Amino acid sequence: MLLVEDEESIADVLAIALRYHRFQVMTAGTVREALALTERVRPDAALLDVMLPDGDGRALGKELRARMPGLAVVFVTARDAPGEIVGALGFGDDYITKPFHIDEVVARVTAVLRRTRSADVLPHPPPLRYGDLELDETAYCAHRAGRMVELTPTEYALLRFLVRNGGRIVTKEQLLRHVWAYEHAPAESTVVETYISYLRRKLAPLGPPLITTRRGVGYGLA
C-alpha cells in the first residue's frame, strides 16, 4: 500500500491504522517521493491526497495507473464538488472526502482491493523463518517449535521486523519508526520495552530465550 499525504499528522494516523489492519504501508509526502518509491516497490493499492505540494494527486494517480495497470487507486481530499468526484472516479476506484473516519477509510480500501484483486491472484509469500520460529505472511500467525503463538497485530509486526533483521541489532528508534510509524517519538516512550516484554513472555514457554537486549543500543534475535 502506497500512502501519499503531505499533512504529517494525517499520514501518521492513516499509516498506523492501516498497519494495525495488516497492510504493509510505505508513505510519501510529495508526487516526486511517490514516483521514486514506486520505482523500487510495486504496491497493490495507492491512497492519494489530491492536493500535494508539488502537484495534483489525480495526475499522480493517472501516472501510477499507467505504470501499474492493476493498481487500486483511492483518493482522499477536502474537495467534495460533484465534478471533482466524478472526474476522479473516471480512472480511480474510490473517493473519500475529509473529514473522514479512520475505520471508513480502512473499510473502503479493503473493499476496493476485494473488487480489484481476486483471491486466486493474490500473492502467497513464503513463511519467514528464524531458527525454530516461523511466521506465516498469509495468515499473519506465528509458530515456534511447531506450536502456535497467539499474538496481537502489533506483537506480530514487532516480531516480523526482528525476524526480517535476524542477526542484527535494531535500535529503539528504528522499531518506533518501522513498527509504530513514529518519526519523532518522545524520548521517554516505553512502548518498545513493553511490547518486547510481551513477546518474551509468550515465546519463553516454547524454547530458550530468543530476543536479546544490547544495552544502550537495541534488540535482536539470538
Side-chain angles (χ1 to χ4, degrees):
M1 158 74 69
L2 171 66
L3 169 62
V4 186
E5 169 61 63
D6 64 312
E7 290 189 44
E8 189 174 338
S9 59
I10 295 177
D12 285 347
V13 169
L14 285 170
I16 291 169
L18 289 164
R19 288 179 177 128
Y20 179 83
H21 289 276
R22 301 175 179 175
F23 286 91
Q24 294 185 16
V25 182
M26 55 184 184
T27 61
T30 65
V31 171
R32 184 176 181 178
E33 288 175 2
L35 293 174
L37 278 174
T38 54
E39 290 288 341
R40 304 191 302 270
V41 182
R42 295 177 66 86
D44 293 327
L47 186 61
L48 310 177
D49 187 12
V50 169
M51 295 179 287
L52 295 168
D54 60 343
D56 190 311
R58 292 166 299 184
L60 172 61
K62 287 182 179 179
E63 173 66 21
L64 293 175
R65 180 65 65 78
R67 293 186 182 188
M68 298 169 283
L71 180 73
V73 177
V74 178
F75 295 104
V76 178
T77 180
R79 297 179 175 177
D80 58 0
E84 298 264 3
I85 297 173
V86 171
L89 288 177
F91 60 90
D93 297 290
D94 205 347
Y95 191 102
I96 303 169
T97 55
K98 300 176 182 178
F100 52 75
H101 193 285
I102 291 295
D103 289 343
E104 178 191 1
V105 175
V106 174
R108 289 172 72 167
V109 169
T110 302
V112 164
L113 285 171
R114 274 201 301 266
R115 295 197 304 268
T116 58
R117 296 184 66 84
S118 60
D120 60 344
V121 299
L122 288 174
H124 296 281
L128 293 175
R129 292 188 174 90
Y130 188 92
D132 62 355
L133 183 67
E134 180 177 294
L135 302 185
D136 186 329
E137 289 283 79
T138 301
Y140 294 93
C141 61
H143 293 81
R144 188 177 190 194
R147 295 171 62 187
M148 172 77 80
V149 185
E150 296 287 346
L151 299 176
T152 67
T154 302
E155 290 167 351
Y156 181 90
L158 173 57
L159 185 58
R160 178 173 59 184
F161 189 76
L162 292 173
V163 169
R164 285 179 170 170
N165 291 277
R168 290 187 288 176
I169 298 296
V170 293
T171 67
K172 177 178 175 179
E173 291 73 22
Q174 289 172 321
L175 290 170
L176 286 169
R177 185 165 63 250
H178 290 280
V179 178
W180 283 271
Y182 291 163
E183 287 296 333
H184 305 288
E188 66 274 13
S189 173
T190 61
V191 66
V192 172
E193 292 85 348
T194 299
Y195 274 86
I196 289 288
S197 70
Y198 292 162
L199 283 179
R200 283 177 167 150
R201 194 177 308 146
K202 291 184 175 183
L203 293 169
L206 306 178
L210 181 63
I211 300 175
T212 63
T213 301
R214 181 76 60 85
R215 292 194 181 279
V217 181
Y219 303 93
L221 297 180

